[in-house]
Amino acid sequence: MDASQAITQLMSPEVPLRIEAAEYLGKHPEMVSSAIIPLCRAVVDEEEQVGQWATSALEDCGRPPVEERDALVELLTDRQDDVVYWAATLLGRLENDAQPVVPQLAQLATDHESANVRQRALWALGKIGDRSELVRTAIEDPIHQRNPRSARVAEQVRRQLFD
């Protein structure tokens, strides 16, 4: 199977084909970079095995291609928290190459309903390394104090960037 076949199967209405594709990509991290966006969407597949394999593939894929940055930004507005989480994660892995998306991540860090997504957006801001006032404001937003883990992540990023 090559990457294009795996992507096609990953988007198939047939569950066995989606499982096969997700498992293949989970076991072949060298193929994942060409399937980043379909895998982000697959983490919320109705079939649990597909979601698990998609998550495994994304966990092991490392830095995504910078050419996927705009498509990942689009996923930041997805209705599924797990999709948004993975988009933020992958943008953070782009580090300095994700500099243009700092405003979207800063907004996500303060406005998203999910604490996990807010935490991941904070983490991504730390990885990008932007020291702008926009990032400082996002890190210091009082919303992070409502959740102990969010408060810890915000403090870690604050120390990393501003101390």
Side-chain angles (χ1 to χ4, degrees), residues 1-3 6-7 10 19-35 38-39 53-54 56-58:
M1 181 181 308
D2 65 21
I7 292 168
L10 196 57
I19 292 171
E20 179 183 23
E23 182 177 357
Y24 178 81
L25 290 166
K27 292 179 177 179
H28 295 89
E30 71 279 3
M31 299 283 211
V32 172
S33 65
S34 59
L39 281 166
W53 280 111
S56 176
L58 291 170

Side-chain angles (χ1 to χ4, degrees), residues 33-102:
S33 65
S34 59
I36 292 290
I37 303 305
L39 281 166
C40 283
R41 290 190 173 109
V43 297
V44 294
D45 193 280
E46 61 194 35
E47 173 53 50
E48 187 177 352
Q49 286 182 16
V50 174
Q52 289 172 344
W53 280 111
T55 299
S56 176
L58 291 170
E59 286 172 348
D60 295 338
C61 75
R63 179 185 168 94
V66 72
E67 299 81 35
E68 297 291 351
R69 183 180 62 208
D70 292 341
L72 289 167
V73 170
E74 288 180 29
L75 293 181
L76 292 177
T77 60
D78 196 273
R79 295 181 312 165
Q80 300 286 333
D81 291 350
D82 288 343
V83 173
V84 178
Y85 175 93
W86 277 106
T89 298
L90 294 165
L91 287 165
R93 288 180 188 172
L94 284 174
E95 297 179 342
N96 193 50
D97 286 330
Q99 193 74 35
V101 305
V102 164

Side-chain angles (χ1 to χ4, degrees), residues 92-122:
R93 288 180 188 172
L94 284 174
E95 297 179 342
N96 193 50
D97 286 330
Q99 193 74 35
V101 305
V102 164
Q104 292 94 325
L105 288 168
Q107 182 175 4
L108 198 67
T110 58
D111 293 349
H112 202 276
E113 293 178 15
S114 166
N116 287 337
V117 170
R118 289 193 308 269
Q119 292 162 17
R120 188 44 51 153
L122 287 170

